[in-house]
Structures are given as structure tokens and as C-alpha cells.
């Protein structure tokens, strides 16, 4: 077996492995449908299709490198497809995990579409690449535009990923860093040394890892309110260290059962999402926001102190009153809090104290209503 044959043999083994990864993602999409919306699933599928097209294009260009002149046209088309579509993949992946509504981030897509146009024009002019009469690939005079487009697409993916982690209050950024580093390493290696085909292997595996990461984030979120769910709450409590000084705030929607009975469950869901939005608006930057039961919510913060907590407390009650001024059927919310002035021994005691203070708040409100009536 000649040296060239061995190189081709190992290259195609890698390519077979690369193609198997995105081809098997539809299985993951099916199993992860519980956590991924239809639009997100569609965007992941678009990214898979683009990866497969680019991989096939790359295989064609490698096979036709130095081939007879009769293969000139498919060689040029293969290069054009690869250069035009490859920077699009990070954009598609970013939209799949973070949506396409952030117009500022999508400005990073401008160089990508410019690169697509120039790659198509490279079929006729040596802009991004050129193929000689002897079917040898060479970089074009404006190859740097492809590099800029790819960097812009990677930055877009990184910012989208960070926004998603922020939205879901995910503190573990190391996994995200490793995922992004995995893609960057493979891409930079191939840009510096075109003969080393690592980028699509890295991107294929990163696509799987990104999907798993996204599903894991979705698994931590309450589907109705977009706050962290009870499972996340239990895990967060277990991670609080004895040296931590924390504040626990408990919220309970008053007479929520009557709301469902009188106005129906759709309106009850509307009430919960509206109240959750108020909690998120007031406390999101201060701590982690959870839905811990049907009509119960909780915020755990290591940033709030008595002065700032009182301000946030009053602001939240004002937000609820604004809601009720628009629709008087929306119920009031009882709130109680407690915090550890010194390093705590047991977080459950702080949660219990906050819960008792919430019930005290509820009783006081009912007594005031009786006195007024």
C-alpha cells in the first residue's frame, strides 16, 4: 500500500466517522423532543444537512485534487459549496440553541452572506479560491474574507451560547468553554494547515455535544414559567456550602385553586406566567429564580442584603399591583424571606424560616382585609 493510498484510507475513515455523527442526531432529536421545541428541532436539522453537504463537498474536492481536466467543473463546484456553506453552520447552531430574534447578534451573519456571494462568484473568478487547469486547489486573493466570515460566525455562536446560559441561570460556563474551544481548535488547525482535515470532525462532535447541553438546560427549566424547576431547586440547595451566606425568598399565590375553578386553567396559567415574569424582572440579577410547586416560587440569593432586599420586596409588590390594576382577577401574592447573617449550618432552616414568614404575611393580609370589610 503506497503512502498516498494510506493517507486516503485514513482520511476516508475519518470522513465516515464524521458523517455518522450528524446522521445519528435525528435519533437524539427524537429522544430529546420532550425538551426541544419544534422550531429548534428544525434548526438543528438544517445544521445537520449543511454539515453533511459540506462534508460530501470536501470528499469530492480531495478525490478530484490533481485529477484529469474532465473533472474540473465538479471540483470547482465542490469547493464553492464548501466555502459558501461552512461559515453558515455556527450561525445555524447559534439560532438552534438561542433563537433568531436577537438582531444585534445576527449582524455577525453579514460577513457570512458576503462570503457566500464571493464563494459563488469564485466559480468564475479567483476570489475566495481557485482551481487550476490541472485541478489543483489554491487560495484566492480574498481568502481572508472566508476567514473573517468564519470568525464572525464563531463569535455569534459564542454570544448566543452565553445568552442561553444566562437565560437559564446556568453557572457552569466551563462546559460551554470546552464546547466552543473544541470547534475553534479544529477550525484553526485546518485554516493554518489545509492538509490536516480536523474541522468537520470537531464540528460534528460539537453539534452532538451542543444538542445534549441544550437538552440538559431545557431539563432544568419549568416549561410554563421559564423559571428553574423543582429539580434544579433541590440540586441548588444541595450545592450550597456551609460558608455561604444566603437569602431565601418564598412566594405563594393566594387562593390559586379558586382562580382555576372560577376562570379556568388557561387563565390560571396566565396568572402564573405573569407572576413569574414579575419575579424574574425584580430578582433575576440578584439570584436564582425557581418554581417549586404549583403556585409556589422561590428566589435564592447570595447578593441581597437587608437594605437591597427591602427595596426589591417593595418593588415586587408594586409590580403585582400594576398587574392587578390591569386585571383585578389576578390574585395577590404572599411573600416571606429569611437570611443567614453568619455562615449557615443548615439551609433547610433558612427555607423553613422564610416559609413561616410567608404564612405570617398571608395571615396579616387576611386580618387586614377582615378589618376593612
Amino acid at each position: 500500500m503506497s503512502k498516498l493510498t494510506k493517507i486516503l484510507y485514513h482520511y476516508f475513515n475519518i470522513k465516515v466517522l464524521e458523517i455518522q455523527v450528524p446522521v445519528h442526531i435525528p435519533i437524539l432529536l427524537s429522544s430529546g423532543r420532550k425538551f426541544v421545541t419544534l422550531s429548534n428541532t428544525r434548526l438543528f436539522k438544517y445544521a445537520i444537512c449543511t454539515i453533511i453537504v459540506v462534508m460530501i463537498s470536501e470528499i469530492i474536492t480531495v478525490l478530484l485534487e490533481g485529477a484529469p481536466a474532465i473533472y474540473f467543473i465538479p471540483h470547482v463546484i465542490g469547493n464553492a459549496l464548501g466555502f459558501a456553506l461552512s461559515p453558515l453552520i455556527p450561525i445555524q447552531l447559534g439560532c438552534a440553541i438561542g433563537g433568531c430574534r436577537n438582531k444585534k447578534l445576527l449582524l455577525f451573519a453579514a460577513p457570512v452572506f458576503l462570503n457566500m456571494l464571493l464563494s459563488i462568484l469564485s466559480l468564475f473568478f479567483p476570489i475566495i479560491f481557485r482551481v487550476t487547469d490541472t485541478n489543483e486547489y489554491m487560495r484566492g486573493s480574498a481568502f481572508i474574507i472566508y476567514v473573517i466570515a468564519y470568525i464572525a460566525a464563531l463569535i455569534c455562536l459564542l454570544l448566543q451560547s452565553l445568552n442561553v446560559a444566562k437565560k437559564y441561570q446556568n453557572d457552569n460556563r466551563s462546559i460551554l468553554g470546552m464546547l466552543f474551544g473544541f470547534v475553534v481548535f479544529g477550525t484553526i488547525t485546518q485554516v493554518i494547515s489545509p492538509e490536516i482535515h480536523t474541522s468537520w470532525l470537531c464540528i460534528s462532535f460539537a453539534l452532538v455535544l451542543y444538542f445534549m447541553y441544550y437538552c440538559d438546560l431545557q431539563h432544568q427549566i419549568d416549561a410554563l414559567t421559564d423559571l428553574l424547576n423543582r429539580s434544579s431547586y433541590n440540586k441548588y440547595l444541595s450545592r450550597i456550602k456551609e460558608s455561604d451566606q444566603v437569602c431565601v425568598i418564598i412566594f405563594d399565590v393566594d387562593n390559586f385553586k379558586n382562580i382555576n375553578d372560577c376562570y379556568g386553567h388557561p387563565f390560571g396559567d396566565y396568572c402564573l406566567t405573569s407572576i413569574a415574569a414579575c419575579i424574574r424582572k425584580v430578582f433575576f440579577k440578584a439570584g436564582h429564580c425557581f418554581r417549586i410547586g404549583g403556585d409556589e416560587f422561590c428566589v435564592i440569593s447570595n447578593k441581597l442584603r437587608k437594605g437591597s432586599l427591602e427595596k426589591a420586596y417593595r418593588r415586587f409588590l408594586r409590580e403585582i399591583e400594576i398587574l392587578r390594576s390591569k386585571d383585578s382577577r389576578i390574585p395577590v401574592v404572599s411573600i416571606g424571606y429569611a437570611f443567614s447573617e453568619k455562615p449557615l449550618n443548615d439551609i433547610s432552616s433558612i427555607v423553613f424560616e422564610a416559609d413561616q414568614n410567608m404564612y405570617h404575611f398571608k395571615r396579616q393580609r387576611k386580618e387586614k382585609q377582615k378589618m376593612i370589610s
Side-chain angles (χ1 to χ4, degrees):
M1 186 181 288
S2 67
K3 185 177 181 180
L4 178 61
T5 307
K6 286 182 179 179
I7 291 172
L8 286 173
Y9 174 76
H10 290 299
Y11 175 79
F12 282 112
N13 278 339
I14 291 173
K15 286 299 161 188
V16 168
L17 179 61
E18 285 182 6
I19 291 174
Q20 282 182 356
V21 173
V23 164
H24 282 81
I25 287 207
I27 300 172
L28 285 174
L29 289 172
S30 299
S31 61
R33 196 169 292 161
K34 178 180 177 182
F35 310 117
V36 184
T37 63
L38 182 62
S39 59
N40 290 98
T41 302
R42 191 181 299 115
L43 288 167
F44 271 111
K45 287 179 179 178
Y46 290 158
I48 295 164
C49 292
T50 308
I51 287 176
I52 292 173
V53 170
V54 171
M55 286 178 181
I56 293 171
S57 300
E58 188 175 341
I59 291 172
I60 290 171
T61 58
V62 170
L63 279 174
L64 299 182
E65 183 73 16
I70 192 174
Y71 298 108
F72 175 80
I73 292 177
H75 193 186
V76 173
I77 292 173
N79 274 292
L81 281 173
F83 279 108
L85 296 178
S86 52
L88 189 62
I89 294 168
I91 299 290
Q92 290 175 316
L93 192 53
C95 289
I97 64 172
C100 303
R101 295 181 180 179
N102 193 327
K103 305 301 181 184
K104 292 181 180 178
L105 287 183
L106 290 179
L107 289 175
F108 286 98
V112 174
F113 292 113
L114 174 62
N115 171 75
M116 289 179 72
L117 175 62
L118 295 179
S119 296
I120 293 169
L121 290 175
S122 296
L123 289 165
F124 312 100
F125 310 102
I127 304 172
I128 302 295
F129 69 93
R130 74 185 183 94
V131 177
T132 66
D133 294 337
T134 55
N135 261 333
E136 292 181 359
Y137 157 80
M138 297 184 70
R139 290 176 177 176
S141 57
F143 179 79
I144 188 64
I145 293 177
Y146 168 76
V147 177
I148 292 170
Y150 213 109
I151 291 171
L154 289 174
I155 292 172
C156 181
L157 174 59
L158 176 62
L159 294 176
Q160 287 277 57
S161 303
L162 291 173
N163 282 345
V164 170
K166 181 182 177 181
K167 176 184 176 182
Y168 295 139
Q169 296 190 299
N170 185 269
D171 296 326
N172 191 358
R173 307 293 169 85
S174 58
I175 296 175
L176 207 53
M178 286 189 291
L179 278 172
F180 188 74
F182 196 48
V183 176
V184 171
F185 170 77
T187 303
I188 290 176
T189 301
Q190 189 159 338
V191 168
I192 294 173
S193 304
E195 70 278 4
I196 302 175
H197 298 274
T198 57
S199 61
W200 300 114
L201 182 61
C202 291
I203 288 172
S204 296
F205 279 107
L207 181 62
V208 176
L209 295 173
Y210 255 104
F211 180 75
M212 294 172 67
Y213 173 73
Y214 181 73
C215 284
D216 182 59
L217 286 180
Q218 292 289 315
H219 187 60
Q220 299 171 32
I221 299 299
D222 175 64
L224 178 65
T225 62
D226 262 356
L227 300 183
L228 295 166
N229 59 24
R230 179 75 194 206
S231 175
S232 300
Y233 169 77
N234 292 336
K235 289 177 183 176
Y236 189 83
L237 288 182
S238 67
R239 291 199 302 268
I240 293 176
K241 300 175 183 178
E242 292 183 1
S243 59
D244 291 342
Q245 296 187 23
V246 298
C247 168
V248 177
I249 311 165
I250 301 291
F251 307 82
D252 185 80
V253 182
D254 289 8
N255 303 314
F256 184 67
K257 185 178 182 301
N258 292 340
I259 296 294
N260 279 331
D261 291 343
C262 295
Y263 305 114
H265 288 279
F267 182 76
D269 289 346
Y270 167 73
C271 292
L272 291 175
T273 54
S274 300
I275 291 166
C278 292
I279 293 172
R280 190 179 184 88
K281 182 177 180 180
V282 175
F283 294 100
F284 181 79
K285 292 182 179 179
H288 289 73
C289 307
F290 305 89
R291 182 188 180 193
I292 58 175
D295 59 352
E296 293 180 292
F297 303 89
C298 177
V299 172
I300 301 177
S301 170
N302 56 8
K303 298 178 182 178
L304 289 171
R305 297 297 179 261
K306 275 192 174 179
S308 56
L309 176 57
E310 285 292 337
K311 288 180 182 178
Y313 171 87
R314 289 192 293 270
R315 184 186 169 199
F316 171 76
L317 293 178
R318 284 198 302 272
E319 291 291 336
I320 295 297
E321 287 307 313
I322 291 171
L323 270 181
R324 285 174 50 77
S325 67
K326 296 175 182 177
D327 189 339
S328 60
R329 296 176 299 169
I330 292 176
V332 294
V333 179
S334 295
I335 180 172
Y337 60 84
F339 40 142
S340 56
E341 297 285 359
K342 56 184 179 180
L344 54 86
N345 294 321
D346 182 14
I347 183 63
S348 61
S349 62
I350 305 299
V351 174
F352 178 78
E353 184 181 348
D355 202 46
Q356 292 303 302
N357 288 338
M358 182 272 294
Y359 282 113
H360 178 68
F361 180 98
K362 192 186 289 278
R363 284 193 297 270
Q364 280 189 324
R365 172 180 278 157
K366 287 181 178 178
E367 287 172 4
K368 286 182 180 178
Q369 288 175 343
K370 286 180 181 179
M371 291 176 64
I372 292 172
S373 59

